[in-house]
Amino acid sequence: NAGVMQNPRHLVRRRGQEARLRCSPMKGHSHVYWYRQLPEEGLKFMVYLQKENIIDESGMPKERFSAEFPKEGPSILRIQQVVRGDSAAYFCASSPPGTSNNIQYFGAGTRLSVL
Amino acid sequence: LAKTTQPISMDSYEGQEVNITCSHNNIATNDYITWYQQFPSQGPRFIIQGYKTKVTNEVASLFIPADRKSSTLSLPRVSLSDTAVYYCLVGDGGSARQLTFGSGTQLTVLP
């Protein structure tokens, strides 16, 4: 059973470009979460999605950031017009249907570098 | 979500037992205590979870006193590969599914 797959592992963008980060949850998991980790800091929650629904986006910046989890295909975290402050590691996690009890399975992350 | 407090860093030597304590004075009745491990350049990995008393699995043990205001992660006979950041999380995992990570404890295992 493959784990949570994120790609790309590393992404380099120039200021003003768009970044698209993809996440395929574990098989059978219908809940997806995105977290951001700035250098030397802990992970910060961004958004929680189920298929075709955003459940909680309380951690998402108000502008330039969006997320989706379509009926078919991976979840996408999209960052428009990137700035240097967006440079961070972005982690996706998934959990199966039902109560999670705080157990989530994380991918290896996408490291975004904005030049 | 209950706030947690852990030591920023700990050093140990190979073969020793390591105990990392986490304080969570405001833990709620429905909250579970969950520990994650994160290696450099990787995502966090679930280690162990408990509600009260003691839980043991193949990786670690978790000790929770009766008042549940703290918990101790115990790693038996650590090796160099146990060098990582360890996070203590507290929450009920109900409708609010976001995990709240603090700064964690950087464990460094020395030869």
Side-chain angles (χ1 to χ4, degrees), chain A residues 9 31 33 35 37 41-45 48 50 55-56 58 91 95-104 106-109 111, chain B residues 31-34 36 38-46 49 87 89-103:
Chain A
R9 288 295 312 276
H31 303 269
Y33 317 83
Y35 294 81
Q37 186 171 33
E41 294 188 14
L43 282 78
K44 304 295 184 190
F45 168 81
Y48 160 39
Q50 294 180 24
I55 308 301
D56 178 359
S58 59
F91 292 97
S95 65
T99 303
S100 76
N101 287 338
N102 296 329
I103 299 175
Q104 297 176 8
F106 285 80
R111 273 144 193 86
Chain B
D31 286 346
Y32 288 81
I33 300 158
T34 312
Y36 283 81
Q38 185 179 25
F39 297 113
S41 302
Q42 293 187 29
R45 180 176 75 109
F46 168 79
Q49 182 181 75
Y87 295 98
L89 282 69
V90 173
D92 66 6
S95 59
R97 285 170 169 257
Q98 57 176 281
L99 299 182
T100 300
F101 288 84
S103 299

Side-chain angles (χ1 to χ4, degrees), chain A residues 14-107:
Chain A
R14 297 189 179 280
R15 281 180 296 170
Q17 291 184 320
E18 178 180 283
R20 280 182 180 247
L21 288 62
R22 287 175 289 278
C23 169
S24 296
M26 286 181 70
K27 186 175 180 180
H29 287 193
S30 55
H31 303 269
V32 166
Y33 317 83
W34 285 93
Y35 294 81
R36 176 166 64 176
Q37 186 171 33
L38 296 170
E40 309 301 324
E41 294 188 14
L43 282 78
K44 304 295 184 190
F45 168 81
M46 299 181 75
V47 63
Y48 160 39
L49 310 104
Q50 294 180 24
K51 284 286 187 181
E52 300 184 282
N53 283 305
I54 297 174
I55 308 301
D56 178 359
E57 56 181 347
S58 59
M60 286 279 271
K62 293 288 186 280
E63 297 177 347
R64 302 186 297 108
F65 285 72
S66 62
E68 63 177 6
F69 188 18
K71 186 176 181 180
E72 301 290 337
S75 175
I76 305 288
L77 179 67
R78 181 183 179 206
I79 310 172
Q80 294 178 290
Q81 299 175 327
V82 296
V83 301
R84 291 229 172 96
D86 297 332
S87 295
Y90 292 83
F91 292 97
C92 171
S94 71
S95 65
T99 303
S100 76
N101 287 338
N102 296 329
I103 299 175
Q104 297 176 8
Y105 300 86
F106 285 80

Side-chain angles (χ1 to χ4, degrees), chain A residues 105, chain B residues 37 45-49 54-62 73-79 82:
Chain A
Y105 300 86
Chain B
Q37 173 192 55
R45 180 176 75 109
F46 168 79
I47 302 177
I48 196 167
Q49 182 181 75
K54 176 184 174 182
V55 179
T56 297
N57 62 22
E58 65 278 6
V59 176
S61 294
L62 180 59
L73 175 72
S74 180
L75 304 172
R77 297 181 299 280
V78 294
S79 64
D82 292 316

Side-chain angles (χ1 to χ4, degrees), chain B residues 51-53 64-70:
Chain B
Y51 184 80
K52 61 180 179 180
T53 62
I64 306 168
D67 66 6
R68 304 202 324 124
K69 293 184 183 299
S70 67

